[in-house]
Amino acid sequence: MTVLERADNRDATSQMPDKPIETRRLPADAAGIGEAASILRAGGLVAFPTETVYGLGADARNGQAVARIYQAKGRPAFNPLIVHVADLDMADGYGVLTGPARAFAERVWPAPVSMVVPLRAGSGLSPLVTAGQDSVALRVPRSDIALRLLKAFGGPVAAPSANPSGRISPTTADHVLAGLGGRIDAVLDGGPTPEGLESTIIGFLGEQPALLREGAYVPDLPDLAVETEAKDAPLAPGQLASHYAPLASVRLNATEARPGEFLLGFGPVTGDLSLSPSGDLVEAASNLYAALHDCDARGVSRLAVAPIPDEGLGRAINDRLRRAAAPRA
Ligand code: TXA
Ligand code: MG
């Protein structure tokens, strides 16, 4: 099946694009980055690597371009998107960063950290980006390719992870093409993303900062409230119980494979494929999604996963694994 046919055959629950389009693979050199910036300026969709996962980018001020993100992903609802900017100065144009939020941004950015702050009045962002809320999630990524793209474009880029809604986030350009080929204009191919897990999301809206999503950055704020559990109306799709799902059923904390299972190992549990033979959480985080994509590609139907220590980055890994194992809607 070609990527174009695949785009046509997506499940009926997702919104179909009008017609499959050619998805170009652009090299992550000056010419490729320039081309990607032109596509963004023209209101197109470009997937690009960040240090966490590939994002599906559009001009955050262009409502039609942002709407195409939802269409391409088959996202069921208009959830708010992270706005990527080149630096704190640019962030100031879209959000209000004062007091502890400003100090934190100055200390950590560029980083795999998204900050939810009050939306600046007259920001010019499409209301689709913020889902009509008066807050905005902003991020200055650390990835050199992402930063070069943001500077070349010179504006805010809305970018959720570049995968069909509810599926595993992409950590390579091939993952992006397998999921969204035929639905987006281009993917900037910068090779595998180093961190491999989405950014940590921290809210700076109330009295004290709140952890909204575990992620690639392990927070060190002493007064951090934890609000990562799904609410009635989840703020973040990453908070939905069944998210980041591979095709296989998933059993956690497995020290050995039961008959018919494919075992994903860690440390002493060797498995059929190991997230990190040496038990290194950073390595396991960066391998996690590629391993799940690999299981999909191998046609694994029953997946077991070795125990991962629930500390540091292990907390974000376990969060994603629990969601992968959750009953599917
Ligand atoms: O690492 C990442 O964060 C990647 C790369 C591309 O930057 N992006 C990513 O985007 O994971 P996405 O759409 O898959 O997740 C963004 C999360 C969502 O769960 C969304 O609901 C939350 O950020 N979010 C965005 N704006 C928000 C807001 N104003 N308040 C609360 N949550 C918000
Ligand atoms: Mg996502």
Side-chain angles (χ1 to χ4, degrees), residues 307-325:
I308 311 288
D310 205 37
E311 61 198 35
L313 258 189
R315 293 173 59 86
I317 297 172
N318 282 324
D319 170 76
R320 302 302 188 272
L321 286 172
R322 275 193 301 274
R323 292 175 205 277

Side-chain angles (χ1 to χ4, degrees), residues 60-86:
R61 300 159 299 193
N62 180 333
Q64 288 200 25
V66 177
R68 278 189 208 115
I69 290 180
Y70 291 100
Q71 183 186 47
K73 284 183 63 99
R75 250 193 192 190
F78 289 159
N79 299 305
L81 304 175
I82 296 172
V83 175
H84 298 68
V85 289

